[in-house]
Every structure is written in structure tokens, then in C-alpha cells.
Amino acid sequence: MKKKIKILNLEIDNYSKKELLENLKSGVVFTPNVDHIVKLQRDSEFARSYSIGDYKICDSQIIMYASKFLGTPIKEKISGSDLLPAFCYHHRNNKEIKIFLLGAAQGVASRAQKKINRKVGRNIVVNSYSPPFGFEKDEAECLKIVDTINNSDATVLVIGLGAPKQEKWLYKYKNDLKFIKIFMALGATIDFEAGNIKRAPKWMSEIGLEWLFRLLSEPKRLWKRYLLDDIPFFLLILKQKLNLYLYKDSKDREQTILIDKY
């Protein structure tokens, strides 16, 4: 079975969750879903940010279906909301693993920190911070966050700010985080761990309807993403199947960028 699966202009690492946990000693983890892949067609800054990912793990049953349609099946969907609790349990006795949670609304990361530590049975999450809205445009605030993380004793950063914000922030500040060995950009996972947002029932996730559950839970925020922005994905996958999907490798960029405009 292939180790990397090409879905449009992104290579997804073909790991099972068990294989990922055994191999993940250092590096950057991104969890691409349909929305990420659509954004990667249009946003060159996002594509450059994605180039620092060492592990790009499928976080979508829809992408799983697409990989089978293309004849290159992905082993397993590993959503961020499944990865973080599995990672914490895997390292429950590893004192070298100390996590910093960055993201979610005010107070939510702190609640997630307490709940995770209670479940794991030790203070595996050593600190947390929920940044103010628009913080990414405030250099002083970003540098304060970097200092807070550097002074926290953390070796793992879990960043949950949503795409493309979390990936772009990591691209800009990753090298300033001197003691972090593992970086995981996990979207709404901090909210899930805090109990701030309900997860879809397992059966909906397994058949590819998690998006519908989230849409019904947050219609005002998510309707445009799911009902408009992400629809071109299906046409693009058909183009890839028919060898009509066009992209180029550019020496000026660190990621292949789509040149076909649907």
C-alpha cells in the first residue's frame, strides 16, 4: 500500500492511527479535510504554510471515499478530535510529553486542560491560552504567546484556531518555539475536549455525515463552507480521475499550486 496518497495538489500520509502514534516523535501534524484541500487550490499562503507539515493525516470520510474512487485507498480517517485523546493516552506515562493548548474562546482551553489532565491521571497539559479575536494581526500579542509557550516547559503544542489561521500562524512562528518538538494543528479539538462543542455521533462520522451534524449545530457559521465553498472538491476529484486536473511545480513556491480555475 502506498505511503503517500495524492489528492489533488496534496500528498496525504497513509498511516493508521497506531502507526502514527508509534512514529510521531517530532514534527508538524496537519489534518486535512475537504475544506483544507479546497482552500489549498486558491490560497498560495496557505499552501506555503502546509509545506512545513511532516505528517498530513486524513481527517475526512469524504476524502477516504475520494481516495477509493481514485484507486489509492487511505487506510484510516484520523480526525484531530480522535488523535489528541489517543496521543494523551499513548503518552500517559511519558514524562517528556508536556502539552500546551492554544486556541478556542476565552476560558475554553483552560477547561480542556483540566478535563484532559483528569482523564489522563497526570498534568500532561502544562498550560493553555485562548487568544483574543484578531490576535494574529497583532505582532505584540503573537510574541507574547511565543514567550508564554517557551516559558511553559511544554514539548508539544496543540493549536486549535481553525484553518487556515492555525497553519499560517505555525508557519510564521514555529522556529521561535524553541522547546516544542511536536506541533499539532487540530481545529475544533480543544472545544471538543472542553465540552464546548458536541461531537457528531460515531455512526455519522463513520459514513461521512459529520459535516451535516456540524452544519446543523452551527448553521450561521458553517453554511457557506459546506454548501458553497467545498462543492468544487467533487468536480476536481472527477478531473483528477480523468487526468484533467492541472497543477504545476513552481520553484518560487514550496507547494504545488493549482492553475486550473475549475
Side-chain angles (χ1 to χ4, degrees), residues 3-247:
K3 290 187 177 179
K4 290 185 181 290
I5 304 297
K6 190 82 169 183
I7 302 289
L8 303 179
N9 63 341
L10 180 67
E11 286 190 331
I12 295 179
D13 294 285
N14 199 10
Y15 284 107
S16 68
K17 186 163 61 179
K18 182 174 183 291
E19 289 169 338
L20 176 62
L21 291 171
E22 289 172 351
N23 282 276
L24 182 56
K25 309 298 182 187
S26 63
V28 177
V29 179
F30 291 148
T31 56
N33 56 29
V34 170
D35 190 59
H36 288 209
I37 289 177
V38 171
K39 283 181 168 67
L40 286 168
Q41 312 309 304
R42 304 166 175 168
D43 186 339
S44 60
E45 185 186 352
F46 186 38
R48 280 195 295 274
S49 302
Y50 237 82
S51 71
I52 66 170
D54 300 292
Y55 300 89
K56 297 161 188 172
I57 308 302
C58 176
D59 183 9
S60 167
Q61 189 63 42
I62 303 298
I63 293 175
M64 294 279 288
Y65 292 145
S67 71
K68 289 180 182 178
F69 176 69
L70 294 170
T72 52
I74 293 171
K75 289 180 184 178
E76 186 177 348
K77 177 174 81 77
I78 310 172
S79 63
S81 47
D82 289 325
L83 177 58
L84 181 57
F87 179 86
C88 291
Y89 182 78
H90 184 77
H91 291 287
R92 63 195 181 281
N93 297 319
N94 182 356
K95 302 300 184 184
E96 297 300 311
I97 294 295
K98 292 168 277 188
I99 300 170
F100 191 105
L101 301 178
L102 175 64
Q106 186 173 5
V108 173
S110 177
R111 287 207 306 276
Q113 176 181 354
K114 291 172 185 173
K115 289 191 173 186
I116 292 169
N117 289 343
R118 189 162 59 245
K119 282 190 289 185
V120 174
R122 75 173 177 93
N123 290 335
I124 191 169
V125 180
V126 294
N127 204 348
S128 57
Y129 183 63
S130 297
F133 182 77
F135 81 96
E136 71 279 6
K137 299 170 186 173
D138 183 343
E139 182 71 9
E141 174 67 17
C142 288
L143 292 176
K144 185 184 89 170
I145 292 170
V146 167
D147 285 342
T148 302
I149 295 169
N150 283 338
N151 291 326
S152 70
D153 202 32
T155 58
V156 178
L157 174 64
V158 172
I159 179 170
L161 302 169
K165 188 186 297 186
Q166 60 194 10
E167 291 82 8
K168 290 179 180 182
W169 194 89
L170 271 184
Y171 181 79
K172 186 172 182 180
Y173 294 102
K174 172 181 175 288
N175 292 336
D176 296 326
L177 299 169
K178 302 172 184 176
F179 309 110
I180 300 295
K181 295 179 181 177
I182 298 172
F183 304 80
M184 295 193 284
L186 302 183
T189 298
I190 296 172
D191 283 294
F192 290 136
E193 287 295 322
N196 195 47
I197 296 177
K198 282 186 68 174
R199 289 195 63 185
K202 189 175 180 182
W203 69 268
M204 293 188 79
S205 180
E206 287 177 349
I207 64 171
L209 287 177
E210 187 168 2
W211 67 271
L212 179 59
F213 180 86
R214 293 200 65 195
L215 174 61
L216 294 173
S217 300
E218 300 180 83
K220 287 185 179 179
R221 188 174 75 86
L222 296 175
W223 76 268
K224 187 173 180 290
R225 176 200 296 185
Y226 291 131
L227 301 182
L228 290 180
D229 295 347
D230 291 353
I231 297 302
F233 173 80
F234 301 98
L235 175 59
L236 291 170
I237 290 297
L238 180 60
K239 285 188 173 186
Q240 183 176 345
K241 179 72 172 180
L242 299 174
N243 294 317
L244 297 174
Y245 173 78
L246 302 176
Y247 61 90

